[in-house]
Amino acid sequence: MAIIGDMDMPLSKGTVKTWYREEGWGSIQIEGVAAECFAHFSSIVQREKEFLELVPGEDVMVSWHEAQQDEFSVVADRVERP
């Protein structure tokens, strides 16, 4: 299981499937993982002057762990733009 905030965790390639800007969360489809991954805005690694939101269809890199969050069984620890 990944440790939240661990910068040494390997990243997996993923694509943002949904993003609910007003609520600050969405889902990511990670390559090789059957379940969609829950992503909260607080897991996004921010670059200078970049808003903490994702765009459906955007490619991202994700560290994640298995955990229950609503209907999701995978949760993002860290989300980065390549």
Side-chain angles (χ1 to χ4, degrees), residues 46-57:
Q46 182 179 2
R47 295 179 184 151
E48 188 176 336
K49 298 181 183 178
E50 192 172 61
F51 190 69
L52 293 176
E53 73 173 306
L54 301 172
V55 178

Side-chain angles (χ1 to χ4, degrees), residues 20-76:
Y20 303 100
R21 183 178 187 192
E22 299 80 25
E23 298 174 20
W25 70 274
S27 65
I28 298 172
Q29 186 62 58
I30 300 172
E31 288 183 11
V33 178
E36 286 182 39
C37 178
F38 173 85
H40 189 262
F41 78 90
S42 62
S43 66
I44 301 171
V45 175
Q46 182 179 2
R47 295 179 184 151
E48 188 176 336
K49 298 181 183 178
E50 192 172 61
F51 190 69
L52 293 176
E53 73 173 306
L54 301 172
V55 178
E58 178 179 20
D59 291 329
V60 292
M61 300 298 291
V62 184
S63 68
W64 55 276
H65 66 278
E66 292 183 19
Q68 196 64 40
Q69 173 66 45
D70 300 322
E71 72 271 13
F72 299 94
S73 59
V74 178
V75 176

Side-chain angles (χ1 to χ4, degrees), residues 6-14 30-31 43 45 60-64 77-82:
D6 186 347
M7 298 303 283
D8 295 326
M9 291 301 301
L11 297 173
S12 302
K13 292 180 182 181
I30 300 172
E31 288 183 11
S43 66
V45 175
V60 292
M61 300 298 291
V62 184
S63 68
W64 55 276
D77 295 319
R78 193 169 93 238
V79 180
E80 297 181 12
R81 291 177 170 89

